[in-house]
Amino acid sequence: MKNSNPDDSSVAPIGFLVIDKPAGITSHDVVSRIRKRFATPKVGHLGTLDPMATGVLPIAIGKATRLVRFVSGSPKEYTGRIRLGQDTSTCDADGEPAGKPRPVEVTGKQVAEAMASFLGNLQQIPPAYSAKKISGVRAHRLARRGVDVRMKPVEVFVETFEMLGWTSPELHFRAVCSPGTYIRSLARDLGSMLGTGGHLGSLRRIRSGPFRIEDAAGPDQAEPADILPPEHVLSDLPRIQVDDAGAEFIRHGRPVDIGMQEQGKGAEVCIFNSKDRLIAVGTRNEGWANPEVVLL
């Protein structure tokens, strides 16, 4: 579903882009390119990808940057390759070798069985070279200064971790997991379990919540027609509709009586006007809709 009403070039775009991030650049580099391409400073990304990784990087444009907290970031889906036999400093192919290479004397069946043990809820230790903060400082900055970084485990959920192919010492895999899961840590921990060591050789994200690789464009090829309207991305939120008088209240950031529409406390909702256009996103509470982000 594309944004079909970009006729007025004086109106700043509002919506989301699915960018297919190439390898070798940061997520911030992509944001900078989109700012220039669409001539707007209001651009942000939803979920960082490491420089070596490719694939789905959702981008918010214009007032959609204020809607990021309403967008589901789950699940994340990846494909990639894990190379056994060598640990690295960053747990991926961009890092320096850590320790000596080890022989890979395991079968594909043994690898698949080990992978199955990572399903479900895990206490995962993030890589030292990561964006996690320690006393307010990014862990990767401390690691690059030679500081002995001790990362605390975090709970993650791995729905799928399956083998797509095996040619020793390299494993082709698919993973579906919760936000905050480090695939580099899965690679490191799989190698540790098998006694071979290992690191992430390549990674491609093919889904992030409602954003899919099928809808993606390159950062230098994205066009206004590629912008997904907010209502498309927020389609899982309940929908309420207000009349013209209610829309005027919403426009000024005031709550409006919605009667029996979508009763409940604190639930997030999309608010549409009488012309079936999304005008705000907010919360409902005991028969009232409270706009939090007004789009019109």
Side-chain angles (χ1 to χ4, degrees):
M1 182 175 180
K2 306 289 186 178
N3 191 344
S4 59
N5 189 28
D7 298 333
D8 186 354
S9 60
S10 66
V11 177
I14 299 175
F16 296 88
L17 278 170
V18 189
I19 296 299
D20 186 352
K21 189 188 88 65
I25 65 173
T26 67
S27 300
H28 182 71
D29 291 335
V30 173
V31 168
S32 296
R33 292 188 189 186
I34 298 301
R35 282 176 179 154
K36 293 178 182 178
R37 188 164 183 83
F38 287 83
T40 177
K42 291 185 178 180
V43 177
H45 62 75
L46 291 72
T48 302
L49 274 178
D50 290 335
M52 70 159 288
T54 68
V56 170
L57 181 66
I59 297 288
I61 297 180
K63 283 189 177 181
T65 56
R66 297 176 59 199
L67 297 175
V68 170
R69 60 193 173 98
F70 297 104
V71 180
S72 172
S74 186
K76 311 283 190 185
E77 184 173 358
Y78 301 88
T79 60
R81 296 183 182 277
I82 293 172
R83 189 170 185 84
L84 301 177
Q86 178 69 69
D87 291 322
T88 71
S89 57
T90 58
C91 305
D92 63 20
D94 285 347
E96 296 296 324
K100 295 181 179 179
R102 285 182 260 178
V104 179
E105 298 173 345
V106 292
T107 65
K109 181 180 179 181
Q110 289 173 315
V111 175
E113 288 173 348
M115 293 172 72
S117 68
F118 289 92
L119 299 179
N121 291 308
L122 300 176
Q123 290 294 319
Q124 186 185 72
I125 298 177
Y129 286 83
S130 68
K132 292 285 186 182
K133 288 186 176 181
I134 299 176
S135 300
V137 182
R138 301 284 185 190
H140 64 81
R141 295 184 184 278
L142 296 173
R144 287 189 174 91
R145 293 176 196 162
V147 176
D148 184 16
V149 177
R150 307 264 177 172
M151 304 298 293
K152 293 181 179 179
V154 295
E155 184 170 315
V156 300
F157 180 76
V158 178
E159 177 183 332
T160 303
F161 189 32
E162 64 179 355
M163 179 186 294
L164 299 180
W166 166 249
T167 303
S168 183
E170 194 168 82
L171 158 72
H172 185 203
F173 71 90
R174 182 177 78 95
V176 181
C177 54
S178 63
T181 304
Y182 278 91
I183 306 300
R184 286 185 287 144
S185 291
L186 280 179
R188 175 200 64 202
D189 296 343
L190 178 65
S192 177
M193 176 175 287
L194 292 168
T196 63
H199 63 271
L200 186 64
S202 65
L203 186 67
R204 181 163 179 78
R205 186 157 68 192
I206 58 176
R207 178 169 46 129
S208 177
F211 305 101
R212 296 175 177 272
I213 195 66
E214 293 83 0
D215 297 319
D220 299 321
Q221 290 77 42
E223 300 290 345
D226 294 312
I227 298 175
L228 301 172
E231 56 265 35
H232 173 69
V233 174
L234 301 173
S235 60
D236 59 332
L237 295 185
R239 167 195 176 113
I240 63 173
Q241 195 156 25
V242 297
D243 58 20
D244 292 345
E248 190 65 14
F249 274 79
I250 294 295
R251 189 170 72 86
H252 292 285
R254 296 164 61 186
V256 63
D257 187 349
I258 58 172
M260 296 303 293
Q261 291 190 70
E262 299 290 353
Q263 291 295 317
K265 276 191 175 182
E268 297 165 340
V269 292
C270 289
I271 306 171
F272 289 79
N273 64 12
S274 60
K275 296 180 181 178
D276 208 32
R277 189 171 182 187
L278 180 67
I279 58 174
V281 179
T283 56
R284 62 184 183 217
N285 189 0
E286 297 182 350
W288 290 81
N290 299 284
E292 297 194 23
V293 179
V294 177
L295 299 175
L296 295 179

